[in-house]
Amino acid sequence: MPSLLRAVLEATFGVDDLPADLGQAAFSVPSRSIRPNASSFFDVKCGPGFMCVSKVNDFGVGHDGVYHAPPILVKGMPRRLRGSYEVGCPARGTLTGSGACRDDGHKGKNLCWSTNRFEGGEREPCNSEDKCLCIRSNTANGLMSQKDKSSEVKNGVEVKYGNYMVQDPPKCDDCRQHDLHEKDCRECDNCEYGQRTVAGEAYTGCWHKDNNERAARAEAKKGRPFLHGMEPHFRDMAVIPHYPMWDPGEKQDPPNDDTLDEAEAAAQQELAEEVAMNEGARMPYQLRAEVLSRKGWIDKYQEAAPRVQLVMDELHEKLVGEWQHDLGKYKCWERHSGDGGTDVVAKAEKALAAQRACQQMQDIARTIAPKTSFPGKVHDVKLRCIKDSAEAAASKAKVVAEAEPCAQLNCYVFDPGWKKGIEDLQAAGDKCEVQVQSAAMEMPKFEKETSPPPAVNEEAPPEVSIKAAD
């Protein structure tokens, strides 16, 4: 069968462009062959709370966006970074409009940097156990070898030191990855190497011993064991961190549908972006982008920071203006209409979430890019950002009067109008909660009063009385 032969050669040798007349070649296909879907690569997903890191000696630094194969020898690596790991691993997938690395499954061999999975295997970037790891911080006390330092920043490059939990790759989780390696298959207790018949054809490969029981476990609704039931080991490591970026202008990703062709996917993307534009700015809890390296974060910061400041300025105007003036008009509950009214608590939480994300960006900028400025105007709107970085720590931030470059974000931490607006919204929310609880207690009585009378032909239930025994 030429098609089977082609599949075997593609899986074995990684050949993408085999000749179209392969079937005419003088090859014979044995009846006892390796499975067509045999592969020497496998996808490793990091467990809950774990992140993927890869070795800078092999991949260099700057693990952002689309993955490009590094040079055979990474040169110019500072001594203190040698042997360290950076957040982000090469994983199968494509980069979405929002900046997330989405697994595209069967659509090719595209790779992007991911924080929660990587591609392992002989012909994959992570072709050895030491190149890519899934880790979770175990202690923040630093390392004795680094004089108990937990973090060090030099020239804006931060390295974190500590003891980390390391997830062992689940080599035995999918026996098919060992179809081409009998020795590796026999090392897995849940796998066996041999021959089985599939659709009338005999195939040799690595099979699961429990047959369909594994599929039943995968579809079970009860929880799965942590890290596939394997215990992590611990390791002292130096890790170059990545940093989150709040960009209110982040694009909305279309639905993850692999059945769409390129034209349909582009239409879905355009529709998603239109919906996002109508919904307004993306809030911190709506983001999907991957965390960024220092260089990637600084490049994105100069673009995203003006949009962040614009959102903060608009929220401040609402807290001291519209929301404050309309506070007495908000209704918590309309008893007869079922309308939930205006969620004043959500308004306060939205403003606080934005303020927390703004402060986080402030802290990151001070750590890795203390002298990085950004434009002081967005769409001809002057931003009320901090002008003089020396006054950033003062209780009263000096804001830009003209459209000069901004030194830092103004998160309104010490602004009395912001503080009062939040307090008033929260107080109104507390009153709403009392009203809602009171309405909930009266609901059974209201339902009884408004329930329709029984139908005329409906027989009344017989009376039940307790009588003394004769």
PDB file of all heavy atoms in Angstrom, residues 78-95:
ATOM      1  N   PRO A  78      26.300  36.073  28.772  1.00  0.00           N
ATOM      2  CA  PRO A  78      26.949  36.518  30.008  1.00  0.00           C
ATOM      3  C   PRO A  78      27.180  35.348  30.961  1.00  0.00           C
ATOM      4  O   PRO A  78      26.380  34.413  31.021  1.00  0.00           O
ATOM      5  CB  PRO A  78      25.953  37.525  30.589  1.00  0.00           C
ATOM      6  CG  PRO A  78      25.160  38.000  29.410  1.00  0.00           C
ATOM      7  CD  PRO A  78      25.067  36.824  28.487  1.00  0.00           C
ATOM      8  N   ARG A  79      28.250  35.424  31.703  1.00  0.00           N
ATOM      9  CA  ARG A  79      28.621  34.301  32.567  1.00  0.00           C
ATOM     10  C   ARG A  79      27.536  33.971  33.574  1.00  0.00           C
ATOM     11  O   ARG A  79      27.265  32.808  33.837  1.00  0.00           O
ATOM     12  CB  ARG A  79      29.930  34.630  33.289  1.00  0.00           C
ATOM     13  CG  ARG A  79      30.389  33.539  34.251  1.00  0.00           C
ATOM     14  CD  ARG A  79      31.745  33.847  34.838  1.00  0.00           C
ATOM     15  NE  ARG A  79      32.764  33.889  33.786  1.00  0.00           N
ATOM     16  CZ  ARG A  79      34.057  34.158  34.033  1.00  0.00           C
ATOM     17  NH1 ARG A  79      34.455  34.432  35.268  1.00  0.00           N
ATOM     18  NH2 ARG A  79      34.918  34.169  33.032  1.00  0.00           N
ATOM     19  N   ARG A  80      26.887  34.980  34.130  1.00  0.00           N
ATOM     20  CA  ARG A  80      25.904  34.696  35.178  1.00  0.00           C
ATOM     21  C   ARG A  80      24.634  34.042  34.635  1.00  0.00           C
ATOM     22  O   ARG A  80      23.832  33.514  35.395  1.00  0.00           O
ATOM     23  CB  ARG A  80      25.548  35.976  35.943  1.00  0.00           C
ATOM     24  CG  ARG A  80      24.617  36.926  35.214  1.00  0.00           C
ATOM     25  CD  ARG A  80      24.455  38.216  35.979  1.00  0.00           C
ATOM     26  NE  ARG A  80      23.416  39.062  35.403  1.00  0.00           N
ATOM     27  CZ  ARG A  80      22.197  39.186  35.888  1.00  0.00           C
ATOM     28  NH1 ARG A  80      21.847  38.502  36.961  1.00  0.00           N
ATOM     29  NH2 ARG A  80      21.314  39.977  35.312  1.00  0.00           N
ATOM     30  N   LEU A  81      24.446  34.087  33.292  1.00  0.00           N
ATOM     31  CA  LEU A  81      23.275  33.459  32.695  1.00  0.00           C
ATOM     32  C   LEU A  81      23.554  32.035  32.215  1.00  0.00           C
ATOM     33  O   LEU A  81      22.605  31.309  31.888  1.00  0.00           O
ATOM     34  CB  LEU A  81      22.771  34.292  31.513  1.00  0.00           C
ATOM     35  CG  LEU A  81      22.346  35.732  31.807  1.00  0.00           C
ATOM     36  CD1 LEU A  81      21.782  36.383  30.542  1.00  0.00           C
ATOM     37  CD2 LEU A  81      21.330  35.789  32.944  1.00  0.00           C
ATOM     38  N   ARG A  82      24.802  31.642  32.159  1.00  0.00           N
ATOM     39  CA  ARG A  82      25.131  30.317  31.670  1.00  0.00           C
ATOM     40  C   ARG A  82      24.576  29.242  32.607  1.00  0.00           C
ATOM     41  O   ARG A  82      24.732  29.316  33.819  1.00  0.00           O
ATOM     42  CB  ARG A  82      26.638  30.145  31.534  1.00  0.00           C
ATOM     43  CG  ARG A  82      27.264  31.067  30.490  1.00  0.00           C
ATOM     44  CD  ARG A  82      28.775  30.980  30.501  1.00  0.00           C
ATOM     45  NE  ARG A  82      29.364  31.998  29.630  1.00  0.00           N
ATOM     46  CZ  ARG A  82      30.664  32.271  29.571  1.00  0.00           C
ATOM     47  NH1 ARG A  82      31.511  31.585  30.338  1.00  0.00           N
ATOM     48  NH2 ARG A  82      31.114  33.207  28.764  1.00  0.00           N
ATOM     49  N   GLY A  83      23.936  28.262  32.027  1.00  0.00           N
ATOM     50  CA  GLY A  83      23.346  27.188  32.816  1.00  0.00           C
ATOM     51  C   GLY A  83      21.972  27.515  33.375  1.00  0.00           C
ATOM     52  O   GLY A  83      21.341  26.662  33.995  1.00  0.00           O
ATOM     53  N   SER A  84      21.506  28.746  33.150  1.00  0.00           N
ATOM     54  CA  SER A  84      20.190  29.131  33.665  1.00  0.00           C
ATOM     55  C   SER A  84      19.103  28.753  32.664  1.00  0.00           C
ATOM     56  O   SER A  84      19.375  28.334  31.534  1.00  0.00           O
ATOM     57  CB  SER A  84      20.153  30.633  33.951  1.00  0.00           C
ATOM     58  OG  SER A  84      20.324  31.364  32.756  1.00  0.00           O
ATOM     59  N   TYR A  85      17.873  28.931  33.091  1.00  0.00           N
ATOM     60  CA  TYR A  85      16.708  28.648  32.256  1.00  0.00           C
ATOM     61  C   TYR A  85      15.884  29.914  32.122  1.00  0.00           C
ATOM     62  O   TYR A  85      15.852  30.751  33.028  1.00  0.00           O
ATOM     63  CB  TYR A  85      15.850  27.538  32.859  1.00  0.00           C
ATOM     64  CG  TYR A  85      16.465  26.158  32.771  1.00  0.00           C
ATOM     65  CD1 TYR A  85      17.476  25.766  33.647  1.00  0.00           C
ATOM     66  CD2 TYR A  85      16.034  25.243  31.811  1.00  0.00           C
ATOM     67  CE1 TYR A  85      18.041  24.502  33.560  1.00  0.00           C
ATOM     68  CE2 TYR A  85      16.592  23.977  31.724  1.00  0.00           C
ATOM     69  CZ  TYR A  85      17.594  23.620  32.601  1.00  0.00           C
ATOM     70  OH  TYR A  85      18.165  22.368  32.511  1.00  0.00           O
ATOM     71  N   GLU A  86      15.188  30.039  30.994  1.00  0.00           N
ATOM     72  CA  GLU A  86      14.271  31.154  30.796  1.00  0.00           C
ATOM     73  C   GLU A  86      12.863  30.618  30.579  1.00  0.00           C
ATOM     74  O   GLU A  86      12.682  29.559  29.962  1.00  0.00           O
ATOM     75  CB  GLU A  86      14.673  32.015  29.598  1.00  0.00           C
ATOM     76  CG  GLU A  86      13.745  33.212  29.394  1.00  0.00           C
ATOM     77  CD  GLU A  86      14.146  34.084  28.217  1.00  0.00           C
ATOM     78  OE1 GLU A  86      15.301  33.994  27.774  1.00  0.00           O
ATOM     79  OE2 GLU A  86      13.277  34.848  27.737  1.00  0.00           O
ATOM     80  N   VAL A  87      11.886  31.341  31.086  1.00  0.00           N
ATOM     81  CA  VAL A  87      10.492  30.947  30.918  1.00  0.00           C
ATOM     82  C   VAL A  87      10.159  30.895  29.424  1.00  0.00           C
ATOM     83  O   VAL A  87      10.534  31.783  28.651  1.00  0.00           O
ATOM     84  CB  VAL A  87       9.566  31.942  31.638  1.00  0.00           C
ATOM     85  CG1 VAL A  87       8.103  31.648  31.330  1.00  0.00           C
ATOM     86  CG2 VAL A  87       9.810  31.899  33.135  1.00  0.00           C
ATOM     87  N   GLY A  88       9.425  29.861  29.024  1.00  0.00           N
ATOM     88  CA  GLY A  88       9.030  29.703  27.631  1.00  0.00           C
ATOM     89  C   GLY A  88       9.728  28.530  26.976  1.00  0.00           C
ATOM     90  O   GLY A  88      10.948  28.377  27.103  1.00  0.00           O
ATOM     91  N   CYS A  89       8.948  27.676  26.286  1.00  0.00           N
ATOM     92  CA  CYS A  89       9.481  26.502  25.608  1.00  0.00           C
ATOM     93  C   CYS A  89       8.905  26.406  24.202  1.00  0.00           C
ATOM     94  O   CYS A  89       7.769  26.840  23.959  1.00  0.00           O
ATOM     95  CB  CYS A  89       9.133  25.219  26.373  1.00  0.00           C
ATOM     96  SG  CYS A  89       9.830  25.134  28.028  1.00  0.00           S
ATOM     97  N   PRO A  90       9.655  25.813  23.262  1.00  0.00           N
ATOM     98  CA  PRO A  90       9.102  25.598  21.921  1.00  0.00           C
ATOM     99  C   PRO A  90       7.958  24.591  21.967  1.00  0.00           C
ATOM    100  O   PRO A  90       8.106  23.489  22.498  1.00  0.00           O
ATOM    101  CB  PRO A  90      10.295  25.046  21.122  1.00  0.00           C
ATOM    102  CG  PRO A  90      11.497  25.322  21.958  1.00  0.00           C
ATOM    103  CD  PRO A  90      11.036  25.342  23.368  1.00  0.00           C
ATOM    104  N   ALA A  91       6.818  24.967  21.432  1.00  0.00           N
ATOM    105  CA  ALA A  91       5.649  24.093  21.438  1.00  0.00           C
ATOM    106  C   ALA A  91       4.940  24.194  20.095  1.00  0.00           C
ATOM    107  O   ALA A  91       4.992  25.230  19.420  1.00  0.00           O
ATOM    108  CB  ALA A  91       4.690  24.474  22.565  1.00  0.00           C
ATOM    109  N   ARG A  92       4.287  23.119  19.706  1.00  0.00           N
ATOM    110  CA  ARG A  92       3.540  23.114  18.457  1.00  0.00           C
ATOM    111  C   ARG A  92       2.386  24.105  18.535  1.00  0.00           C
ATOM    112  O   ARG A  92       1.647  24.140  19.501  1.00  0.00           O
ATOM    113  CB  ARG A  92       3.000  21.710  18.188  1.00  0.00           C
ATOM    114  CG  ARG A  92       2.215  21.584  16.889  1.00  0.00           C
ATOM    115  CD  ARG A  92       1.640  20.188  16.747  1.00  0.00           C
ATOM    116  NE  ARG A  92       0.695  19.889  17.824  1.00  0.00           N
ATOM    117  CZ  ARG A  92       0.155  18.683  18.016  1.00  0.00           C
ATOM    118  NH1 ARG A  92       0.503  17.683  17.250  1.00  0.00           N
ATOM    119  NH2 ARG A  92      -0.705  18.507  19.003  1.00  0.00           N
ATOM    120  N   GLY A  93       2.240  24.905  17.483  1.00  0.00           N
ATOM    121  CA  GLY A  93       1.131  25.842  17.462  1.00  0.00           C
ATOM    122  C   GLY A  93       1.469  27.104  16.694  1.00  0.00           C
ATOM    123  O   GLY A  93       2.576  27.271  16.169  1.00  0.00           O
ATOM    124  N   THR A  94       0.514  28.004  16.660  1.00  0.00           N
ATOM    125  CA  THR A  94       0.671  29.296  15.999  1.00  0.00           C
ATOM    126  C   THR A  94       0.331  30.410  16.968  1.00  0.00           C
ATOM    127  O   THR A  94      -0.413  30.212  17.933  1.00  0.00           O
ATOM    128  CB  THR A  94      -0.250  29.398  14.765  1.00  0.00           C
ATOM    129  OG1 THR A  94      -1.599  29.127  15.167  1.00  0.00           O
ATOM    130  CG2 THR A  94       0.168  28.413  13.692  1.00  0.00           C
ATOM    131  N   LEU A  95       0.884  31.576  16.700  1.00  0.00           N
ATOM    132  CA  LEU A  95       0.655  32.735  17.560  1.00  0.00           C
ATOM    133  C   LEU A  95      -0.635  33.423  17.144  1.00  0.00           C
ATOM    134  O   LEU A  95      -0.815  33.780  15.977  1.00  0.00           O
ATOM    135  CB  LEU A  95       1.833  33.699  17.445  1.00  0.00           C
ATOM    136  CG  LEU A  95       2.093  34.614  18.639  1.00  0.00           C
ATOM    137  CD1 LEU A  95       2.480  33.802  19.852  1.00  0.00           C
ATOM    138  CD2 LEU A  95       3.179  35.619  18.294  1.00  0.00           C
TER     139      LEU A  95
END
